[in-house]
Amino acid sequence: MSEPSEQPDGHIVMIGAGQAAVQTAEALRAGGYAGAITLVGDEPHGPYHRPPLSKAWLAGEIGAAQLVMRAPELLARKQIKLRTGTKALAIDRAARLVTLDDGSQLAYTGLVLATGSTPRALPLPGADAPNVLALRTRDDASDIAAALQRCIAGALPVIVIGGGFIGLEVAATARKKGLAVTVLEAAPRLLGRVLPQLLSDWYAELHRSHGVKLVLNAQIAALEVGADGFVNGVRMADGSVQGAGLVVVGIGVSANDQLAKAAGLACDRGIVVDECGRTSDPSVVSAGDCTARRLPDGTLLRLESVQNATEQGKSAAAALLGTERPFTATPWFWSDQYGKKLQMAGLSMGADTWAVRGDMASGPFSVYHFRGEQLLAVDSVNATKDHLQARKLLDLGVSPTPAQVKDLGFDLATLLQP
């Protein structure tokens, strides 16, 4: 094993090289940190944007250059060292050392865990077949794109297991390519964990209108594997078989908190952090999909979004610099399917009342979620003005009434005036 690298003016090591890590590194430099910074990424690629993977990249509408988030030379100009294709194996918090898979060690004065998440595997025989794929990384997306081309060449159908955002975005992209697509969702409706019934129904109709076959309450019994080792069908509990040239699995993700757990950091379905990204060790912070943020009421919140990675990265950098920058802004997310852009602001869990602004059947619209008289969240489709306004309302804790929401003649912006 080689000697650990020493950095006399401090060394902040980041395990991960995605959105959260890049944001933390750049925020450290912007905050005046002059010591060494090293990003350790286990993928062969430098930092890249993930949201286009299930949409424009998969559809072949953009090239590799448009995926790049920060070119290595740009990071180098900011004196941020990038090590790709390198896996962190262990953290020794007492000695402040990170051991890498090439046998080397990095000494740190501050450590950032931006390890992301991993798609959950389908717990069935045959799930390791070469045409059963999940989408998380750029290489995953490239594999799925190649498999879609094979399906086009052989006129083979595509099965998507899971009716969440990733699964539905892949389904929409496959339909744009003219492929037969079936979505198998175990729950009674699509997007049931994040959207109310009326929006689940709207998405179901959207996909059906574009030719997608939806099977809700789907019970999968087995994957049928042919003599060539490829899955050629999905057998359901009722004995029916859905033919498949490609199976895309989108049944959720798990936080990559294994390193943190092994190092003795507090974890609970993610690395537990406070509103400033601090873990249970003052010299270790964490940001992005791998985290579970402790809220003031003691509950934990896991968010998987670019905004969360970005804002937690800024907060984590501030914590390492000895300042307070709590991330408390309204969370927001988006999804693109068939030219319909959903923009979500806030978290709608616990809502008991809904009000619709606009016409869900014909044009831009937004669904406002209330608990009692309190606005919790707003989901907008092709209504960016509503979305931006909703974020301001939620940040300020200002709630319109359902009647005001439904009245297109009422300008909700007046509620933001002092």
Side-chain angles (χ1 to χ4, degrees), residues 58 133-135 139-149 170 246 248:
L58 198 59
L133 302 170
L135 175 54
D139 288 346
D140 293 338
S142 295
D143 289 344
I144 292 173
L148 288 174
Q149 289 305 120
V170 171
L246 166 66
V248 178

Side-chain angles (χ1 to χ4, degrees), residues 52-68:
L53 293 179
S54 58
K55 300 175 280 289
W57 171 260
L58 198 59
E61 296 169 353
I62 62 173
Q66 293 163 282
L67 276 186
V68 174

Side-chain angles (χ1 to χ4, degrees), residues 196-392:
Q197 183 77 50
L198 76 168
L199 272 172
S200 290
D201 293 345
W202 184 86
Y203 266 104
E205 177 54 33
L206 176 67
H207 277 269
R208 289 186 178 115
S209 71
H210 282 83
V212 174
K213 178 182 178 182
L214 300 180
V215 181
L216 305 177
N217 296 302
Q219 299 181 44
I220 300 172
L223 300 179
E224 303 279 359
V225 181
D228 58 0
F230 282 69
V231 168
N232 55 33
V234 177
R235 180 157 45 86
M236 312 302 291
D238 63 5
S240 64
V241 175
Q242 305 281 348
L246 166 66
V247 177
V248 178
V249 180
I251 55 175
V253 298
S254 299
N256 292 333
D257 59 3
Q258 299 89 337
L259 272 177
K261 282 181 181 176
L265 294 170
C267 295
D268 187 348
R269 288 165 295 171
I271 303 168
V272 176
V273 297
D274 66 8
E275 70 278 5
C276 293
R278 291 175 292 227
T279 71
S280 52
D281 181 331
S283 66
V284 183
V285 296
S286 186
D289 290 4
C290 60
T291 63
R293 177 156 44 107
R294 183 77 67 186
L295 301 180
D297 63 3
T299 60
L300 290 168
L301 176 65
R302 281 204 66 228
L303 297 174
E304 299 160 18
S305 71
V306 171
Q307 179 223 16
N308 184 61
T310 299
E311 296 302 322
Q312 276 194 323
K314 294 176 182 177
S315 296
L320 288 174
L321 293 171
T323 60
E324 295 276 321
R325 187 196 179 279
F327 168 39
T328 56
T330 297
W332 52 266
F333 319 84
W334 79 89
S335 177
D336 291 302
Q337 299 168 45
Y338 306 112
K340 306 292 186 182
K341 188 176 190 69
L342 170 68
Q343 293 172 288
M344 308 168 69
L347 301 171
S348 60
M349 295 90 73
D352 52 30
T353 305
W354 295 267
V356 178
R357 188 173 182 86
D359 188 343
M360 293 182 69
S362 63
F365 69 89
S366 296
V367 179
Y368 290 67
H369 307 256
F370 295 86
R371 182 168 57 221
E373 298 180 352
Q374 182 65 42
L375 181 67
L376 296 183
V378 180
D379 297 330
S380 303
V381 175
N382 290 354
T384 298
K385 180 181 176 182
D386 284 0
H387 171 72
L388 296 175
Q389 190 177 75
R391 282 161 56 178
K392 293 177 183 178

Side-chain angles (χ1 to χ4, degrees), residues 80-160:
I80 298 169
K81 183 177 181 180
L82 173 64
R83 295 183 62 165
T84 57
T86 305
K87 186 176 179 62
L89 298 182
I91 301 165
D92 184 336
R93 293 197 290 126
R96 294 196 176 187
L97 292 174
V98 175
T99 299
L100 305 178
D101 62 355
D102 61 2
S104 65
Q105 291 183 315
L106 296 177
Y108 67 83
T109 52
L111 180 63
V112 181
L113 300 179
T115 48
S117 58
T118 299
R120 294 193 182 100
L122 192 66
L124 289 172
D128 58 351
N131 64 332
V132 178
L133 302 170
L135 175 54
R136 183 63 184 169
T137 68
R138 173 178 160 176
D139 288 346
D140 293 338
S142 295
D143 289 344
I144 292 173
L148 288 174
Q149 289 305 120
R150 288 194 297 272
C151 288
I152 292 171
L156 301 172
V158 175
I159 298 290
V160 175

